[in-house]
Amino acid sequence: MPNLKNFFFLEGGYLILGAIVLLITLFVGTRPFMSKGAAKRGLMWVSLVIAIMIGLHYNMTMNRMAEVKIAFEKDLEIICESRMVRKVAPYVMVKKSREWRLEGDNFVSPNYERPFFSARCIVK
């Protein structure tokens, strides 16, 4: 079940970028060369577009996370992004039968010092 903490964790960067775009829209919409009401219309449409895009991205990410969790329970191979050593091993192969376990939204193994977030994984 999706929760608010996951939403802010996954979409926090996009929310900040969206706020910056809204500030730029407000600044441009209040300039003297813009028509009356341009700031209001601009903020409305830009907010709508940003909300739709962030919502779609969040929905796609949550669906992928659910797909990865189901595949993990079926003992299928999962590819996770590795941020530890990017040049040598840019990804890690996760499989339940290889001592991996799922703790919340993270894949954990005694062979790795850090967990791997399921949002950064795909089914092979």
Side-chain angles (χ1 to χ4, degrees):
M1 176 90 187
N3 61 29
L4 206 52
K5 181 182 173 191
N6 260 357
F7 177 76
F8 285 116
F9 183 73
L10 292 169
E11 305 301 325
Y14 298 119
L15 291 170
I16 291 169
L17 288 174
I20 292 169
V21 169
L22 287 173
L23 287 173
I24 292 169
T25 303
L26 181 63
F27 178 77
V28 172
T30 57
R31 299 297 94 199
F33 56 85
M34 297 298 289
S35 65
K36 249 188 173 166
K40 189 184 216 181
R41 285 191 312 274
L43 286 174
M44 181 184 68
W45 287 108
V46 172
S47 296
L48 180 66
V49 169
I50 289 171
I52 289 171
M53 291 173 67
I54 289 174
L56 286 173
H57 182 264
Y58 179 70
N59 191 35
M60 287 175 13
T61 302
M62 292 306 291
N63 289 339
R64 186 176 66 246
M65 286 172 66
E67 180 184 314
V68 164
K69 288 177 184 180
I70 290 168
F72 179 74
E73 292 304 323
K74 292 180 180 179
D75 201 30
L76 298 175
E77 232 172 10
I78 297 166
I79 303 170
C80 290
E81 173 188 26
S82 175
R83 295 182 176 179
M84 287 175 60
V85 185
R86 289 184 183 260
K87 292 182 181 180
V88 177
Y91 61 89
V92 173
M93 303 301 283
V94 173
K95 196 170 182 182
K96 193 174 190 176
S97 60
R98 294 186 193 146
E99 299 183 36
W100 286 93
R101 64 186 185 282
L102 189 59
E103 292 181 359
D105 290 329
N106 293 307
F107 292 109
V108 180
S109 171
N111 303 320
Y112 287 88
E113 60 188 59
R114 66 180 283 285
F116 294 91
F117 191 46
S118 62
R120 308 291 176 242
C121 302
I122 58 171
V123 180
K124 183 174 181 185

